[in-house]
Amino acid sequence: MYSRRFTLLVGSSLVLILSADALNNGLAMKPPMGFANWNGFGCNYNDTTFRDMADFLATSGMGAMGYKTMIIQECITVAGHRDARGVPQPDAKKFPFGIKDLCDYIHSKGLLCGIYTDVGPQTCAGYEGSFGHETVDALTYASWGELQSHTLVDTFSTIQARLFVVGVA
């Protein structure tokens, strides 16, 4: 099926609108919109920051308008954050109830929860990335809740493939 072209004359400008064919499966009907801490807070955020923002998105009507995705970005763990099995350990001071509890709270507001990581050895802020730990990280993120997004720098497919292989995706 071919895309159709429509033209619309607005003032003296010609605007070309292209329609695109897409799967009608309910996924990505709107671009991911919502809240990610990095640009506004950098590493200066915690559990309360996300709970307050989840409350705001849910009660302000922004969630109903499509601002549903909350991405926990960067600085989730402390230096040397993996246990003896290689499992990433969230910063207990920032997340005293854990990431799973925070994601459960976000979900209770009708919103989506996602985690940022990096497929390389380090994240942009210098925290340890998932390189060499893709499977354990995928399993860990999945155990933290129904995460709708694993935001990866460079490639999404590495962790997504691991989630598929271990039966989570």
Side-chain angles (χ1 to χ4, degrees), residues 11-69:
S12 62
S13 300
L14 182 64
V15 178
L16 182 64
I17 301 172
L18 299 174
S19 66
D21 297 322
L23 294 176
N24 187 15
N25 62 5
L27 298 176
M29 299 301 287
K30 295 179 183 176
M33 301 183 298
F35 174 76
N37 60 279
W38 183 249
N39 289 332
F41 295 94
C43 290
N44 299 316
Y45 73 96
N46 59 25
D47 183 273
T48 302
T49 309
F50 271 85
R51 289 176 193 266
D52 289 350
M53 186 54 70
D55 291 341
F56 174 76
L57 290 175
T59 60
S60 69
M62 291 184 74
M65 292 188 312
Y67 291 86
K68 294 181 166 289
T69 305

Side-chain angles (χ1 to χ4, degrees), residues 41 51 65 74 113 115 117 122 128 138 148 157:
F41 295 94
R51 289 176 193 266
M65 292 188 312
E74 287 284 10
C113 184
I115 297 290
T117 189
Q122 288 188 324
E128 186 177 350
Q148 281 70 30
S157 61

Side-chain angles (χ1 to χ4, degrees), residues 52-102:
D52 289 350
M53 186 54 70
D55 291 341
F56 174 76
L57 290 175
T59 60
S60 69
M62 291 184 74
M65 292 188 312
Y67 291 86
K68 294 181 166 289
T69 305
M70 297 190 69
I71 304 293
I72 306 168
Q73 280 187 287
E74 287 284 10
C75 320
I76 296 169
T77 61
V78 294
H81 70 281
R82 293 186 184 274
D83 68 12
R85 297 172 296 142
V87 175
Q89 302 298 303
D91 185 335
K93 290 181 183 175
K94 278 188 177 184
F95 305 104
F97 309 107
I99 301 293
K100 178 168 178 21
D101 188 79
L102 177 56

Side-chain angles (χ1 to χ4, degrees), residues 110-167:
L111 304 170
L112 308 175
C113 184
I115 297 290
Y116 165 89
T117 189
D118 193 301
V119 74
Q122 288 188 324
T123 67
C124 296
Y127 287 75
E128 186 177 350
S130 290
F131 182 75
H133 301 279
E134 293 90 349
T135 300
V136 72
D137 285 4
L139 289 169
T140 301
Y141 301 152
S143 76
W144 287 347
E146 294 178 32
L147 300 174
Q148 281 70 30
S149 173
H150 302 284
T151 307
L152 295 172
V153 173
D154 299 327
T155 182
F156 176 81
S157 61
T158 304
I159 294 256
Q160 185 64 29
R162 299 290 190 210
L163 288 169
F164 181 77
V165 167
V166 296

